[in-house]
């Protein structure tokens, strides 16, 4: 982290004739949600009200995203790029960002998200199941059966993954590995931990610190 990337006083408004592009990113998943333009006033307004506000070139006025739909972008952080002429806004979207109803103006989450980021979604889904215990869900059943049963499943899937690695094809190995990761996520959650905590350990071992 470089403080220079947080200092919006450095912004070069003259370069874009008073308007700078602002990329909006989902603060947790990293999904790119939309691109808009801000003038200095829009930036001040964004900070003041906590809802991301742009300068609309078509309306020629300040435009708070979601002002009519209610689908606001709650401001989490603002970063500026190396040349101080582009903003990166991290936000918590309340509803779909695009007027077409998709999560991102570039398509659905699955279209804009790198494949590995799905692990964060899985982690969140398992946490939600743990909290809400919806009836008829396999995950709920595991939580209800308790840690012994969950641990047994982790052990079984671990052995099946190992066997598949040695004597089965790629499809079987991938299937068993998916089962293992799912049950491992459930075991961690049953202990109040998450895949994110495991990633933090892995990242630490490799000398890089993951963002929170
Ligand atoms: Zn859109």
């Amino acid at each position: 982290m470089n403080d220079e990337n947080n200092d919006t006083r450095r912004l070069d408004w003259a370069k874009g004739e008073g308007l700078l592009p602002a990329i909006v990113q989902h603060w947790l998943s990293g999904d790119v949600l939309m691109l808009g333009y801000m003038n200095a006033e829009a930036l001040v307004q964004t900070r003041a009200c906590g809802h991301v506000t742009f300068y609309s070139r078509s309306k020629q006025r300040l435009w708070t995203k979601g002002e009519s739909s209610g689908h606001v972008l709650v401001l989490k952080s603002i970063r500026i790029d190396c040349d101080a002429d582009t903003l990166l806004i991290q936000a918590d979207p309340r509803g779909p960002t695009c007027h077409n109803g998709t999560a991102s103006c570039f398509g659905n989450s699955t279209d804009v998200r790198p494949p590995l980021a799905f692990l964060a979604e899985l982690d969140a889904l398992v946490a939600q199941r743990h909290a809400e215990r919806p009836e008829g869900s396999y995950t709920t059943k595991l939580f209800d059966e308790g840690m012994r049963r969950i641990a047994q499943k982790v052990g079984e899937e671990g052995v099946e993954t190992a066997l598949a690695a040695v004597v089965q094809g790629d499809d079987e190995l991938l299937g068993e590995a998916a089962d293992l990761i799912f049950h491992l996520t459930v075991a961690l959650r049953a202990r109040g931990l998450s895949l994110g905590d495991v990633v933090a350990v892995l990242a630490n071992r490799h000398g890089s610190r993951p963002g929170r």
Side-chain angles (χ1 to χ4, degrees):
M1 289 270 177
N2 186 338
D3 282 348
E4 287 199 339
N5 293 111
N6 292 319
D7 185 3
T8 52
R9 288 169 305 183
R10 289 176 53 244
L11 282 167
D12 187 355
W13 295 103
K15 205 171 197 169
E17 294 170 348
L19 287 184
L20 296 180
I23 301 161
V24 183
Q25 181 182 42
H26 192 294
W27 75 300
L28 286 178
S29 69
D31 292 353
V32 175
L33 299 175
M34 65 174 289
L35 173 75
Y37 287 85
M38 284 189 180
N39 60 8
E41 206 187 341
L43 181 60
V44 167
Q45 174 73 10
T46 295
R47 282 198 161 124
C49 77
H51 291 172
V52 179
T53 300
F54 302 100
Y55 178 79
S56 165
R57 292 172 299 171
S58 50
K59 299 180 179 81
Q60 302 224 332
R61 64 167 174 84
L62 290 189
W63 167 63
T64 299
K65 159 73 193 141
E67 64 185 18
S68 50
S69 66
H71 301 155
V72 296
L73 295 162
V74 177
L75 177 68
K76 289 292 179 180
S77 72
I78 299 173
R79 295 182 62 73
I80 69 177
D81 79 344
C82 54
D83 294 325
D85 62 4
T86 304
L87 294 145
L88 178 62
I89 311 283
Q90 293 186 315
D92 181 5
R94 300 292 160 86
T97 293
C98 185
H99 68 284
N100 288 324
T102 51
S104 159
C105 280
F106 299 96
N108 284 306
S109 300
T110 44
D111 302 319
V112 298
R113 187 173 298 170
L116 272 179
F118 178 74
L119 288 177
E121 215 172 305
L122 175 70
D123 212 15
L125 187 69
V126 168
Q128 194 186 355
R129 293 271 190 274
H130 184 254
E132 297 171 0
R133 309 289 175 109
E135 259 181 66
S137 141
Y138 173 66
T139 315
T140 297
K141 183 164 166 275
L142 284 172
F143 284 130
D144 287 347
E145 287 173 345
M147 186 52 108
R148 274 182 175 276
R149 174 64 183 151
I150 297 168
Q152 184 194 359
K153 286 302 295 180
V154 172
E156 282 174 17
E157 300 301 345
V159 170
E160 284 167 16
T161 301
L163 279 173
V166 179
V167 298
Q168 290 186 301
D170 288 353
D171 286 349
E172 288 81 2
L173 173 57
L174 290 171
E176 296 302 348
D179 290 344
L180 176 59
I181 288 176
F182 167 74
H183 287 94
L184 183 58
T185 306
V186 172
L188 289 164
R189 177 51 52 191
R191 288 277 300 261
L193 299 168
S194 73
L195 277 182
D197 295 323
V198 178
V199 170
V201 172
L202 286 169
N204 246 335
R205 283 186 192 165
H206 291 268
S208 71
R209 293 214 184 98
R212 296 189 52 204

